[in-house]
Amino acid sequence: MLNTSTKTPTGGFSFENTRRNAVLEANLSEKGYSAPNARKTGTTIAGLIFKDGVILGADTRATDDMVVADKNCMKIHYIAPKIYCCGAGVAADAEVTTQMMSSNVELHSLSTGRPPLVAMVTRQLKQMLFRYQGQIGSSLIVGGVDVNGPQLYSIYPHGSYDKLPFLTMGSGAASAISVFEDRYKLNMELEEAKQLVRDAITAGIFCDLGSGSNVDLCVITEKTVDYLRAYDQPVQKGLREGTYRYKPGTTAVLTKTVTPLTLDVVDESVQVMDTE
Amino acid sequence: MMISSRVFGDNGKVKEYHYTGPVEHKFSPYAFNGGTVLAVAGEDFALVASDTRLSEGYSIHSRDSPKCYKLTDTTVIGCSGFHGDCLTLTKIIEARLKMYKHSNNKNMTSGAIAAMLSTILYGKRFFPYYVYNIIGGLDEEGRGARDTYKAGGSASAMLQPLLDNQIGFKNMENVEQVPLTLEKAVQLVKDVFISAAERDVYTGDALKICIITKEGVREEIVPLRKD
């Protein structure tokens, strides 16, 4: 007999879990606890179109409220061989949304028999985000090169999008866009464009508390994709003068139980390692 | 986001305007400006350290706004929290110090300042000063309180456990408990702030240490991460 509990998703809203979430939150608050907050990336992400393609940039700090949770996270996600996406907002939402999109895009391009279009990725993303009415808190910058040339789109959590030659998103967007507005020109050369994106992300790193650590860049042209992880490190960690290592015996041992394991040799094999 | 059910009634027509009752608007008199303060005392010294970043929300107001205020030659106070209340509180303390000097013909001791601060703060029990205070200083004989330490402000939860371990020798066994020297204390304070700046977004830019000895108050400034 057919399993009728799995339904194919119809268009429109899917709020299956809202009642369950409300009950969970009520139960927790009765006991005095609060539901865990979604960790936001508190980010600076930027993208621009230059003469030969698209450059995407991002900082690498992930925050949990106002504590740094990850000093070197990756915010530029792969979607297709020539299409990458920067994600700001809730870290899990950005990560899972782009992963889902990546698999959908691969299926779609197998079905069409053509390399994927950036506009197609944008449309799928915005349709999904609108369907969830902003509950998926991810702001994305999608950039890539396809048959129509280099393109750059930004998508907001509620599902609206913009198509522009340069874009910034995240909590450090204001700092980064000021750098772009000052120095952006059409048809810039590669090195000048890389420097500009680096400067914009650096402005976000220094002037926004939610952004920090390193600058990641992704340069996409018709011929190549260059994922430059830690392209620039404008901030160095301070050098600590003391050493804080503990000698063995510093931690108190309360109980000690030794259980000998009697093992028999069953099989012996040697594998040569490839060491260079 | 427009919720259509609020504007349109059941029959599809736009709802008539009704007065729904008083609407509560909230104004908060406080703001959180970040910052961390730390005080350590040894046998014959005391030091009060703070970072110099002043922030609000996700922005930075100033990278050079220290939170240690020198009160007398033997006492320094560190205040972090709401900057408006920090400034007002230090102004009030300085005025009260002058009044004491004029009526008693001597400077207030560290202990007396701490007791006075307690009464000043309790006077505003029902509309508090949003300030985390730590007073560090030497007593009348020029002695500090041996091996005492306290952290306050935004990164206090990160600093306090490490100080408990390194100065208070807590959670450790078979360790020689050497009394704290000034050099070790300064090195510890610098290292601890470098680590706090890694993980707390409100802490950074620079660290200012006020070192109080019988010679007086000396200042040291150390740069921290600016991101």
Side-chain angles (χ1 to χ4, degrees):
Chain A
M1 188 164 140
L2 266 180
N3 186 359
T4 49
S5 61
T6 50
K7 291 175 265 194
T8 48
T10 53
F13 316 143
S14 165
F15 283 99
E16 285 167 1
N17 283 333
T18 41
R19 184 178 279 180
R20 175 206 77 167
N21 290 346
V23 169
L24 279 174
E25 272 202 52
N27 282 345
L28 281 173
S29 60
E30 256 172 51
K31 299 198 179 83
Y33 304 114
S34 59
N37 275 329
R39 185 211 290 179
K40 301 185 95 146
T41 50
T43 301
T44 308
I45 48 176
L48 60 66
I49 298 185
F50 71 109
K51 194 175 79 158
D52 303 320
V54 160
I55 303 186
L56 298 174
D59 75 305
T60 59
R61 172 184 281 185
T63 50
D64 216 337
D65 276 339
M66 295 319 250
V67 175
V68 177
D70 191 346
K71 293 189 267 191
N72 204 3
C73 69
M74 285 175 47
K75 300 187 191 179
I76 306 183
H77 310 284
Y78 167 89
I79 296 211
K82 291 274 166 49
I83 305 177
Y84 279 72
C85 176
C86 307
V90 179
D93 285 344
E95 184 77 40
V96 169
T97 304
T98 45
Q99 279 174 356
M100 266 172 48
M101 214 36 56
S102 174
S103 76
N104 281 350
V105 159
E106 192 170 339
L107 289 171
H108 190 268
S109 83
L110 283 170
S111 156
T112 57
R114 298 177 172 89
L117 297 171
V118 188
M120 185 271 286
V121 175
T122 306
R123 180 165 284 201
Q124 288 204 349
L125 276 168
K126 81 153 160 74
Q127 283 176 350
M128 188 185 100
L129 291 175
F130 181 77
R131 192 165 6 116
Y132 282 91
Q133 286 293 300
Q135 300 294 326
I136 295 188
S138 57
S139 318
L140 307 160
I141 295 186
V142 185
V145 178
D146 57 26
V147 284
N148 300 324
Q151 283 161 80
L152 191 61
Y153 294 87
S154 70
I155 309 168
Y156 289 83
H158 284 267
S160 62
Y161 74 96
D162 291 312
K163 179 177 192 295
L164 290 165
F166 61 92
L167 290 161
T168 62
M169 302 276 262
S171 59
S175 316
I177 202 73
S178 63
V179 176
F180 277 170
E181 290 285 3
D182 187 28
R183 284 155 48 187
Y184 180 81
K185 297 189 299 285
L186 288 167
N187 295 324
M188 280 192 295
E189 294 295 329
L190 173 65
E191 283 311 311
E192 196 188 347
K194 271 160 71 173
Q195 185 67 19
L196 182 58
V197 177
R198 181 224 155 258
D199 287 346
I201 302 292
T202 307
I205 286 174
F206 284 125
C207 304
D208 175 43
L209 295 178
S211 314
S213 301
N214 316 325
V215 179
D216 282 351
L217 284 192
C218 186
V219 182
I220 310 172
T221 57
E222 208 182 313
K223 300 189 189 68
T224 55
V225 170
D226 256 332
Y227 194 117
L228 303 161
R229 182 106 168 101
Y231 172 74
D232 189 27
Q233 291 175 320
V235 190
Q236 296 300 327
K237 177 172 177 176
L239 284 168
R240 289 198 294 252
E241 288 167 25
T243 48
Y244 300 93
R245 301 233 155 258
Y246 301 106
K247 288 197 284 289
T250 307
T251 308
V253 176
L254 296 176
T255 49
K256 192 165 151 181
T257 13
V258 178
T259 320
L261 298 168
T262 44
L263 300 169
D264 298 320
V265 177
V266 175
D267 182 32
E268 243 185 80
S269 68
V270 176
Q271 266 183 331
V272 179
M273 259 172 38
D274 230 342
T275 48
E276 265 176 42
Chain B
M1 179 173 110
M2 193 168 98
I3 310 262
S4 307
S5 54
R6 255 196 242 138
V7 176
F8 293 92
D10 286 326
N11 55 2
K13 294 201 188 136
V14 179
K15 275 199 266 209
E16 303 251 324
Y17 171 77
H18 289 295
Y19 174 61
T20 41
V23 180
E24 193 180 340
H25 299 282
K26 283 200 113 113
F27 160 71
S28 169
Y30 298 115
F32 182 62
N33 296 118
T36 309
V37 287
L38 169 57
V40 179
E43 185 85 53
D44 56 353
F45 70 90
L47 51 85
V48 179
S50 76
D51 69 325
T52 59
R53 173 178 281 176
L54 194 72
S55 33
E56 189 164 345
Y58 277 99
S59 316
I60 300 179
H61 283 313
S62 166
R63 296 192 197 271
D64 187 16
S65 170
K67 292 156 193 73
C68 338
Y69 300 89
K70 181 177 157 201
L71 298 178
T72 65
D73 276 332
T74 53
T75 317
V76 173
I77 187 173
C79 303
S80 77
F82 170 41
H83 192 60
D85 275 347
C86 293
L87 294 175
T88 304
L89 184 61
T90 47
K91 229 177 245 178
I92 288 179
I93 295 174
E94 276 160 12
R96 294 286 297 266
L97 285 178
K98 278 197 196 118
M99 285 158 59
Y100 183 96
K101 175 97 193 272
H102 291 148
S103 45
N104 299 90
N105 201 21
K106 63 177 179 139
N107 287 320
M108 278 186 97
T109 58
S110 298
I113 297 178
M116 179 185 75
L117 178 59
S118 171
T119 55
I120 295 176
L121 292 174
Y122 198 84
K124 291 254 289 161
R125 168 73 176 79
F126 301 110
F127 182 14
Y129 289 113
Y130 182 1
V131 189
Y132 299 100
N133 293 296
I134 309 186
I135 301 184
L138 306 173
D139 66 8
E140 301 83 50
E141 273 103 70
R143 283 193 312 247
R146 216 167 60 141
D147 291 0
T148 43
Y149 51 90
K150 180 92 178 90
S154 62
S156 59
M158 296 182 197
L159 305 180
Q160 190 72 28
L162 181 55
L163 298 174
D164 281 333
N165 177 261
Q166 293 292 312
I167 305 181
F169 301 108
K170 301 271 169 60
N171 300 321
M172 288 204 297
E173 299 205 342
N174 307 321
V175 175
E176 193 195 340
Q177 303 206 349
V178 280
L180 193 62
T181 60
L182 175 56
E183 291 71 33
K184 183 84 180 28
V186 171
Q187 181 211 68
L188 198 56
V189 164
K190 288 180 188 168
D191 287 351
V192 126
F193 263 92
I194 286 172
S195 300
E198 288 286 306
R199 291 286 176 172
D200 181 32
V201 306
Y202 290 120
T203 305
D205 292 330
L207 163 66
K208 181 163 160 184
I209 315 180
C210 298
I211 303 166
I212 311 157
T213 51
K214 60 179 184 339
E215 276 92 49
V217 180
R218 191 180 91 224
E219 285 175 7
E220 232 186 276
I221 300 189
V222 173
L224 294 173
R225 285 179 78 114
K226 293 182 168 38
D227 64 352

